[in-house]
Amino acid sequence: MKKIDLYILKKFIGTYFFIVGIIIAIVVVFDLVEKMDDFLEKNAPIKSIIFDYYLNMVPYYANMLSPLLVFLSVIFFTSKLAGQTEIIAILASGVSFKRLMFPYAIGATIIVIITYILSSSVIPVANRTRLDFEAHYVKRPRETGLRDIHMQIEPGVYVYLKQYYSFREAGERFNIEKYDDKRLISRLSAREITYDSLENKWHLKNYQKWDFNEDGITHVKTTGEALDSTINILPSDFKKERKRYEMLTNSELAEHIDELKRRNIGNTEEFEIELRKRQASPFAAYILTLIGVSLASRKTRGGMGVHIGIGLVLSFVFIIFLTLSSTFAVNGGMNPILAVWLPNITFGIIGIYLYNKAPK
């Protein structure tokens, strides 16, 4: 690396962390003002507020806003270089535009590595402490019941539940079947099922039970209004905690997805989207850096303000595009890999076009 490379790299990284610091400080101030009443009402310890909540919140928001902040950093300091005719001097000395991109690529690589490490292992661990603090001093974690649940709870034992209501720990249209190889041995159905947390039992209402002989013909049929059962399932198997995936590292997330698929529970889209997003999002730094340099390297009449305005618009379009594609994957059946990579591919094409046009 030459001196000019180190100069640009220091400007890039320095501007990025400077903007990150300013934005995070603003986020912390607004969040503190919003939650101050909750902290005072529930007597949250100052030490916990600082170290358990805000210290763990900083990497979360820094990583979430990283694509926008990378773009703004590149636009800001590159426009300044162009405004002071430093870009013109560099290109006039015989340095090609392609060679000018080298320190930018190094800076983007550093940010990609940092954001990937944060999102894959650091932030999920920090989120456990942060969300636990919120549950005690801000708000209770929200859980939602699942619909059309199919799962294998043991080898040869399958459960179906039409609907589970988390607020009253009850479900409707329950069915459990036991198989010996492929032969159905028994079936237990109930119109309603509720969980007794004191006795750790399930109460079945309006139940029917069938035992089948080797020919698959009903051997014994039992019916009744109520039945207590110690089925090997818990209420947590029938519901999901809001954004639970935020507390799982990449390896834990992959294991959880495999477990859901193994038990035929389904509803894995949210977790798969999160895992793929963590793999794809860091690479947005390369694309947005390419677009930022291509836009801001030319000296324009409007100066830095025009570049920053364009940068903000493109950044928000990118974030909205990523959000929409993720939503389509969860609710519309779109492939998770395509959903998270589509914004990168689309803006990558835009970046290549602007890059080829910039030297002209």
Side-chain angles (χ1 to χ4, degrees):
M1 294 182 67
K2 298 182 179 180
K3 288 184 178 181
I4 189 63
D5 296 323
L6 291 174
Y7 174 72
I8 293 176
L9 181 59
K10 288 179 181 178
K11 288 281 187 180
F12 185 2
I13 299 299
T15 304
Y16 172 75
F17 283 108
F18 177 73
I19 293 179
V20 168
I22 292 177
I23 297 298
I24 293 301
I26 294 173
V27 170
V28 169
V29 170
F30 275 95
D31 188 80
L32 181 60
V33 171
E34 180 185 355
K35 294 185 173 64
M36 180 63 73
D37 291 339
D38 294 317
F39 295 158
L40 294 175
E41 180 183 347
K42 298 183 180 180
N43 297 317
I46 296 178
K47 183 178 179 181
S48 295
I49 294 174
I50 296 173
F51 294 100
D52 293 343
Y53 185 61
Y54 284 111
L55 192 63
N56 290 306
M57 189 183 77
V58 167
Y60 173 78
Y61 280 102
N63 190 72
M64 183 178 69
L65 298 173
S66 184
L68 171 63
L69 301 182
V70 168
F71 205 7
L72 291 179
S73 301
V74 173
I75 290 286
F76 182 81
F77 88 87
T78 304
S79 294
K80 192 173 181 180
L81 292 179
Q84 296 173 346
T85 66
E86 292 181 77
I87 298 291
I88 296 175
I90 293 171
L91 297 176
S93 66
V95 176
S96 66
F97 192 77
K98 180 179 180 181
R99 179 63 181 80
L100 178 65
M101 292 295 302
F102 176 69
Y104 286 95
I106 297 297
T109 300
I110 294 173
I111 294 173
V112 166
I113 293 172
I114 292 174
T115 54
Y116 181 78
I117 293 174
L118 285 175
S119 63
S120 63
S121 57
V122 176
I123 292 176
V125 176
N127 281 341
R128 296 169 192 171
T129 305
R130 178 176 65 86
L131 295 175
D132 182 65
F133 176 90
E134 286 186 351
H136 282 86
Y137 300 108
V138 182
K139 57 185 177 182
R140 291 178 59 84
R142 190 178 69 187
E143 295 179 327
T144 56
L146 300 176
R147 291 178 58 87
D148 296 322
I149 304 164
H150 300 263
M151 70 170 70
Q152 177 181 334
I153 60 174
E154 295 175 9
V157 181
Y158 298 89
V159 166
Y160 169 76
L161 192 65
K162 178 63 179 177
Q163 174 74 60
Y164 190 78
Y165 304 96
S166 59
F167 63 91
R168 58 187 180 94
E169 304 291 11
E172 60 184 25
R173 295 176 61 182
F174 172 79
N175 190 70
I176 182 170
E177 297 178 346
K178 295 182 180 181
Y179 289 83
D180 181 9
D181 194 11
K182 295 183 179 180
R183 185 175 68 85
L184 180 61
I185 300 175
S186 65
R187 176 187 295 156
L188 174 62
S189 299
R191 181 175 297 177
E192 185 176 347
I193 181 171
T194 57
Y195 187 71
D196 187 337
S197 58
L198 296 178
E199 298 183 3
N200 296 322
K201 290 182 178 181
W202 290 95
H203 300 310
L204 281 64
K205 297 181 180 179
N206 296 321
Y207 73 92
Q208 291 181 321
K209 184 177 180 181
W210 297 267
D211 293 319
F212 300 95
N213 60 24
E214 294 183 358
D215 297 325
I217 301 173
T218 302
H219 179 61
V220 177
K221 181 179 179 180
T222 307
T223 61
E225 293 185 359
L227 176 70
D228 292 342
S229 176
T230 55
I231 305 169
N232 187 27
I233 47 179
L234 295 171
S236 58
D237 294 324
F238 293 145
K239 58 189 177 181
K240 62 179 180 179
E241 185 177 339
R242 182 176 177 269
K243 294 187 177 181
R244 180 187 173 191
Y245 51 76
E246 291 185 349
M247 296 181 283
L248 301 176
T249 63
N250 278 18
S251 58
E252 292 169 342
L253 202 52
E255 291 176 2
H256 185 66
I257 293 171
D258 290 339
E259 176 68 13
L260 292 178
K261 290 181 176 179
R262 184 184 67 80
R263 300 181 67 181
N264 297 315
I265 296 178
N267 302 298
T268 63
E269 292 85 359
E270 219 173 26
F271 296 97
E272 291 188 58
I273 284 290
E274 176 66 17
L275 180 60
R276 303 303 179 186
K277 189 185 293 184
R278 291 180 188 180
Q279 297 168 348
S281 293
F283 290 94
Y286 287 121
I287 298 167
L288 296 177
T289 297
L290 180 65
I291 295 175
V293 177
S294 301
L295 286 174
S297 58
R298 179 184 298 178
K299 187 175 182 179
T300 59
R301 181 175 297 178
M304 188 184 301
V306 174
H307 294 151
I308 292 178
I310 296 173
L312 283 172
V313 171
L314 287 176
S315 297
F316 283 116
V317 170
F318 177 83
I319 293 172
I320 292 172
F321 195 179
L322 180 60
T323 302
L324 288 176
S325 61
S326 300
T327 302
F328 285 138
V330 173
N331 301 319
M334 187 177 181
N335 184 281
I337 298 177
L338 177 61
V340 298
W341 281 99
L342 188 59
N344 282 354
I345 295 171
T346 304
F347 277 76
I349 295 171
I350 295 173
I352 292 172
Y353 169 76
L354 293 174
Y355 170 75
N356 291 327
K357 188 178 178 181
K360 301 176 183 179

